Amino acid sequence: MIYLDNGATSFHKPPEVLRAVQEALRTCANPGRGSHRPAMAAAERIYDCREAASRLFGCLPEQVVLTTSGTHGLNMAIRTLVRPGDPVVISGFEHNAVTRPLHALGAQVTVAGRKLFSPEDTLEQMEDALRKRPKALICTHVSNVFGYILPVEQIGWLCRHYGVPWILDAAQSAGSLPLAQADFVAMPGHKGLLGPQGTGLLLCTRPPEPLLYGGTGSASLPPTMPEDLPDRGEAGTLNVPGYAGLTEGLRYLHRTGIHGMARRQQQEVRRAAAGLERLGFTVFSGPCQLGTLSFLPHGDCEEAATKLARKGIALRAGLHCAPLAHESAGTLDTGTLRISYGHDACPSQTQALLTAARVLL
Ligand code: PLP
């Protein structure tokens, strides 16, 4: 099988990730819940994960709140900055993990920047919206549908200039691109960071408002959650085997370096775009694009994905949990077929895709 669904989750994890999960299950108890050896081993695995994340992202270990997914971190960050009815700015390419929490809060949402692959439009529209001093700006770094890389350095600069707090959704960029410094940066552990499902990270410049209340293994007496990072965001028993695996994913990325990763994915996306266009499909590609590409087959997307799956190509069809991005690009009615490359992106994957795609002609 050629796995081109890394936008959903990475599938071929480095072997050390698998070994670490198994080792943690064998040796670890509950972190911070005892001074016996298995509890201490668990605490060490958890600290290792914060430390590996802090090295990769250039923050302090205590600024790393361990979450269960990208969605978990985004909800926590949004609940910290946004109150019911608050004005908020988002890009035109957000995932439901951003739009649904805002909808649930009844936030007044301004969508700024809907032109695909146009950093100029994104920045112009966002600056206009920031002049009205919203309570927060929330945006994805890379569109999970189209691979569009938003100009996050400049967005960060604008947010600081207008004094507006910023949440960055790094779900599709962490592990492939350097991240910008936002008030909160949320990311899954199971996509580009190569960890297991059920893991995520929220990088925090200040303690978040808890989503969950409960035991943290620290300061048990008060009825309130601890005030400090990272405990304020981490109630309940942590997924120790998951974070032990994630640590190895983070170390792998630190060792191999992420620049080569982005370059390889971009090369394959360009190759795939050219090949799919040659076959006569409508392809969404542009200058600032990472390892994800959407295209339209001649018929129904779901049927096309099933045909390609039978040919051994794993990709995704539909709206990809991001109807807003499709609305921006004009593909809400059809959805798209999406390929998304991972850390193992290589020409033979693209060649196999292009050969199999003939079944759609
Ligand atoms: N944001 C974007 C852009 C995503 O692509 C995803 C997942 O696909 C998420 C948020 C949510 O991440 P998770 O599935 O880990 O909750």
Side-chain angles (χ1 to χ4, degrees), residues 14 18 32 67 123 125 147-148 172 203 232 263 278 321 332 334:
L18 278 62
T67 61
L123 288 173
Q125 302 293 319
Y148 167 37
Q172 298 292 336
L203 311 184
R232 192 162 175 77
R263 195 167 19 81
R278 270 197 304 276
C321 304
L332 193 58
T334 54

Side-chain angles (χ1 to χ4, degrees), residues 7-8 68-72 74 93 95 97-98 140 142-144 169 171-172 187-191 199 316 338:
T68 60
S69 61
T71 303
H72 181 190
L74 284 165
F93 297 95
H95 191 275
V98 168
T140 191
V142 173
S143 160
N144 67 308
D169 175 0
Q172 298 292 336
M187 63 194 89
H190 60 95
K191 299 188 200 269
T199 62
R316 186 167 168 196
R338 178 189 78 173

Side-chain angles (χ1 to χ4, degrees), residues 49 52 75 93 160 182 193 195 197 212 225 239 247 252 267 305 327-328 347 354 361:
C49 188
N75 272 265
F93 297 95
R160 284 188 289 279
L193 299 182
Q197 293 92 327
L212 289 175
M225 285 291 285
N239 172 8
T247 304
Y252 172 91
Q267 259 166 14
E327 203 183 284
S328 295
L354 296 176
L361 294 177

